[in-house]
């Protein structure tokens, strides 16, 4: 099987698996314990925290460990909203955020917060001037993703961060789950206060998330029960997974330059093929992350295409894995102005380290066969 679903989850590095097993065997003590075993475990967490800061060049804050990107996003957004309610109750985000942010915003709205959902262009990008226009004296948080998890568009995070430096009472959160360890991100220089990431998106283990919190930023914890993770998150830390996640991030960062060069070539190869097929429509335009290619076959149910790809030995997805089982048009594509038919037929291809030219060729041949099979069903079909 060819696996083209790296944006949903990635196969862990063999070295990461080995590290996790070794730490699990040797360092099983509770890192909050005061005996030698506990202190050794706590030391491993501290070194992992420092390693991530070093790899990502952050010196003005700390990295927390959570259970994943969803918890990191929720802790950042709800933690800020509740902590700084006295400053105001207005939050700015976009209409194309991941479900963990979109639903968190909806929950905050039900609690009396006012949320502005910025529009995006037909290319899938937010306008910096729209951010400026939405800011008010009551704005306590701006939360905008770096790379869209569905169509791969890169948002102007650096420019937004520079804008917000003139608004010191407004915090800036970036969901970097699809970009951390893959494309450049400089939280300190770009004026970002909070950054979310996820280990299993960069060939680490599931169950570990990252959250960068700039020095001086306070968060109201989502859970009670202890002073773990610098007081922001209660719960005994998963030491083996944390150490393995830090290693995965280091390996991802160190290989990112060559990976991006190769993936850009593969991505362009696939995009050229899709553009040659009138039945298929590419979604999103540059700037785009090279590891995500999203297209639609308007009028065809995406799950049908996914199953047909699997029959051809290829694994792909429809949209975000968290939303793929929802039988409704893509919220992201609708935000781009796509018709319901177009928005209902999206397929996401996401690349990984193992992919080569021949794999793109195999995928292209499979799509050609599938189009040939589906073409007669286009008109008047229930698909």
């Amino acid at each position: 099987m060819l696996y083209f679903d790296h944006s949903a989850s990635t196969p862990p590095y063999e070295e990461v698996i080995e590290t996790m097993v070794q730490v699990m065997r040797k360092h099983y003590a509770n890192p909050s314990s005061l005996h030698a075993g506990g202190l050794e475990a706590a030391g491993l967490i501290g070194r992992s925290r420092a390693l991530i800061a070093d790899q990502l060049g952050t010196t003005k804050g700390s990295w927390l460990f959570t259970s994943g990107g969803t918890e990191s996003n929720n802790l950042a957004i709800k933690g800020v909203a509740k902590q700084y309610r006295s400053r105001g109750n207005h939050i700015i985000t976009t209409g194309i955020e991941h479900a963990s942010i979109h639903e968190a915003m909806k929950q905050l709205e039900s609690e009396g917060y006012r949320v502005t959902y910025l529009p995006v262009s037909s290319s899938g990008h937010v306008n910096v001037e729209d951010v400026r226009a939405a800011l008010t004296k009551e704005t306590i948080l701006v939360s905008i993703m770096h790379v869209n998890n569905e169509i791969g568009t890169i948002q102007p995070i650096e420019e937004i961060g520079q804008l917000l430096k003139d608004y010191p009472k407004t915090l800036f959160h970036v969901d970097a789950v699809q970009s951390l360890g893959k494309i450049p991100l400089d939280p300190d220089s770009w004026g970002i206060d909070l950054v979310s990431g996820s280990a299993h998106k960069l060939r680490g283990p599931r169950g570990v998330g990252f959250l960068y919190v700039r020095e001086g930023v306070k968060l109201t914890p989502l859970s009670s029960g202890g002073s773990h993770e610098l007081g922001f998150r209660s719960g005994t830390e998963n030491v083996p997974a944390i150490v393995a996640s830090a290693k995965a991030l280091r390996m991802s960062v160190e290989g990112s330059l060559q990976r991006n060069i190769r993936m850009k070539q593969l991505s362009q190869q696939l995009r050229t093929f899709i553009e040659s097929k009138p039945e298929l429509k590419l979604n999103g335009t540059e700037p785009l992350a090279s590891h995500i290619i999203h297209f639609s076959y308007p009028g065809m149910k995406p799950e049908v295409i996914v199953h047909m790809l699997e029959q051809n030995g290829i694994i792909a997805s429809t949209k975000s894995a968290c939303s793929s089982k929802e039988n409704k048009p893509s919220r992201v594509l609708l935000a781009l102005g796509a018709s319901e038919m177009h928005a209902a037929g999206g397929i996401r291809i996401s690349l990984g380290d193992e992919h080569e030219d021949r794999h793109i060729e195999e995928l292209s041949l499979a799509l050609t066969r599938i189009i040939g099979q589906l073409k007669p069903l286009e008109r008047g079909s229930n698909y």
Side-chain angles (χ1 to χ4, degrees), residues 203-277:
R203 303 197 63 183
R206 291 185 185 88
V208 176
F210 312 109
L211 179 62
Y212 175 71
V213 182
R214 182 180 56 78
E215 186 178 3
V217 173
K218 297 180 179 179
L219 301 174
T220 298
L222 301 184
S223 57
S224 303
S227 57
H228 311 82
E229 287 308 289
L230 311 181
F232 290 111
R233 180 187 187 265
S234 298
T236 302
E237 298 91 341
N238 185 344
V239 180
I242 286 172
V243 174
S245 296
K247 183 162 190 171
L249 187 138
R250 176 182 63 77
M251 294 178 69
S252 293
V253 170
E254 290 176 348
S256 61
L257 182 60
Q258 291 301 318
R259 182 188 306 112
N260 281 335
I261 292 173
R262 187 179 72 257
M263 285 193 182
K264 195 174 182 69
Q265 296 170 341
L266 296 177
S267 174
Q268 187 54 53
Q269 182 181 343
L270 180 57
R271 290 179 185 281
T272 299
F273 164 78
I274 293 171
E275 288 174 334
S276 73
K277 299 296 180 182

Side-chain angles (χ1 to χ4, degrees), residues 3 6 9-17 20 177 180-182 198-206 210 241 244-252 259 262-263 351-355:
Y3 184 75
H6 283 253
S9 195
T10 55
Y13 293 109
E14 284 300 320
E15 299 92 327
V16 166
I17 296 173
M20 190 164 175
V177 166
L180 210 62
K182 298 177 182 179
S198 176
H200 78 102
K201 306 293 187 179
L202 41 80
R203 303 197 63 183
R206 291 185 185 88
F210 312 109
S245 296
K247 183 162 190 171
L249 187 138
R250 176 182 63 77
M251 294 178 69
S252 293
R259 182 188 306 112
R262 187 179 72 257
M263 285 193 182
L351 306 176
D353 290 336
E354 74 273 22
H355 294 131

Side-chain angles (χ1 to χ4, degrees), residues 30-199:
N30 191 316
S32 295
S33 298
L34 297 180
H35 51 65
L39 295 176
E40 287 179 1
L44 289 176
I45 295 175
R47 287 195 289 277
S48 298
R49 219 186 296 279
L51 175 61
I52 293 172
D54 179 65
Q55 290 295 315
L56 298 176
T58 52
T59 61
K60 299 180 180 179
S62 299
W63 287 90
L64 311 181
F65 297 109
T66 68
S67 64
T70 291
E71 185 187 350
S72 292
N73 283 336
N74 273 264
L75 178 56
I77 292 167
K78 296 175 184 176
V80 165
K82 297 180 186 301
Q83 181 68 38
Y84 295 97
R85 182 97 189 229
S86 61
R87 286 187 186 176
N89 72 337
H90 181 230
I91 301 172
I92 298 172
T93 188
T94 78
I96 62 169
E97 300 299 308
H98 186 269
S100 62
I101 289 182
H102 186 75
E103 296 303 322
M105 294 295 180
K106 293 298 183 183
Q107 183 177 344
L108 288 174
E109 283 185 296
S110 72
E111 297 174 9
Y113 292 86
R114 187 167 64 88
V115 179
T116 296
Y117 299 91
L118 297 177
V120 293
S121 65
S122 59
S123 66
H125 301 94
V126 68
N127 189 315
V128 178
E129 290 306 311
D130 286 344
V131 179
R132 187 194 304 275
L135 289 164
T136 75
K137 293 181 180 179
E138 298 292 311
T139 307
I140 54 176
L141 177 67
V142 174
S143 179
I144 297 178
M145 67 190 344
H146 191 193
V147 171
N148 182 265
N149 55 291
E150 193 166 325
I151 60 175
T153 47
I154 301 175
Q155 302 305 323
I157 296 303
E158 182 176 5
E159 293 86 346
I160 295 170
Q162 296 303 320
L163 165 66
L164 293 176
K165 286 182 179 180
D166 293 331
Y167 298 83
K169 292 187 177 180
T170 302
L171 298 179
F172 187 23
H173 167 247
V174 173
D175 173 359
V177 166
Q178 293 293 345
S179 66
L180 210 62
K182 298 177 182 179
I183 65 175
L185 177 70
D186 190 342
D188 289 353
S189 298
W190 294 3
I192 304 172
D193 299 294
L194 301 131
V195 178
S196 301
S198 176

